[in-house]
């Protein structure tokens, strides 16, 4: 199996990457965020809203970036995360996540982790590709439910981190992905804490790791 660095450079992801169009405000913010992230600045400072920028734009850029990064991370463990190895979408013995989407699964339903995560990623991709939720031009305002929608997206993406850390951490170490995943998680964690985007209850499965972050 290729190592994580190879997969990163080849762009192996669980889902196609979402990209910002050059020349747009979100592309500019994305490039600025990436430059700060790569500069070695403390991640706690990187996540802060830049002066004179709007919160919704900043959140939108990060939601898409985290979606892409978590796709990459999960893509690296799909060989190990199978229905026979992960028959439930869980974060250890105390936490099990049930899927509901108001269409096919109208009631919370237990699913194998790969199926749950596939549905989760499809749902997130549908939200971020919806230009009524994530507008791509200046003349289209963000909807009133934008931040609540982003909270739901980030909460669900956090559950992927939970499952990977608790059930596939040894696999991350084996493919040399531990350091990269830890950095991505710290970035994600500092961002959601800075803007209060994921509830404290949802953070409980990784509470010990969060204390060290």
């Amino acid at each position: 199996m290729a190592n994580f660095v190879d997969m990163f450079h080849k762009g192996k992801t669980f889902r196609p990457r979402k990209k910002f169009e050059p020349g747009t405000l979100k592309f500019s913010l994305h490039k600025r965020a990436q430059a700060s992230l790569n500069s070695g600045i403390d991640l706690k400072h990187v996540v802060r809203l830049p002066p004179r920028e709007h919160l919704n734009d900043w959140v939108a850029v990060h939601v898409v970036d985290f979606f892409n990064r978590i796709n990459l991370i999960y893509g690296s463990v799909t060989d190990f995360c199978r229905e026979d190895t992960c028959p439930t979408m869980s974060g250890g013995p105390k936490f099990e996540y049930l899927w509901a989407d108001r269409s096919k699964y109208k009631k919370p339903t237990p699913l194998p982790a790969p199926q749950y995560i596939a549905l989760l990623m499809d749902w997130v991709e549908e939200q971020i590709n919806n230009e009524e939720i994530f507008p791509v031009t200046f003349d289209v305002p963000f909807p009133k439910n934008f931040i609540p929608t982003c909270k739901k997206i980030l909460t669900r993406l956090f559950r992927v981190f939970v499952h990977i850390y608790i059930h596939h951490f040894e696999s991350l170490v084996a493919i040399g992905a531990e350091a990269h995943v830890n950095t991505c998680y710290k970035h994600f964690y500092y961002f959601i804490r800075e803007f209060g985007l994921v509830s404290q209850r949802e953070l409980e499965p990784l509470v010990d790791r969060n204390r060290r972050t």
Side-chain angles (χ1 to χ4, degrees), residues 34-105:
Q34 289 301 302
S36 296
L37 190 62
N38 295 332
S39 69
I41 299 174
D42 187 334
L43 288 173
K44 290 181 180 179
H45 298 292
V46 167
V47 301
R48 292 175 182 169
L49 182 67
R52 297 180 296 280
E53 299 295 353
H54 294 289
L55 176 61
N56 285 348
D57 289 313
W58 192 238
V59 171
V61 164
H62 281 81
V63 166
V64 174
D65 186 53
F66 291 136
F67 171 70
N68 287 334
R69 289 174 181 273
I70 294 169
N71 267 321
L72 175 65
I73 292 167
Y74 184 67
S76 71
V77 299
T78 50
D79 289 346
F80 314 105
C81 187
R82 307 182 305 271
E83 291 193 6
D84 60 317
T85 60
C86 302
T88 61
M89 177 58 182
S90 58
K94 295 182 180 179
F95 300 93
E96 180 179 357
Y97 303 115
L98 307 181
W99 180 256
D101 54 20
R102 297 182 181 178
S103 55
K104 183 177 180 180
Y105 297 94

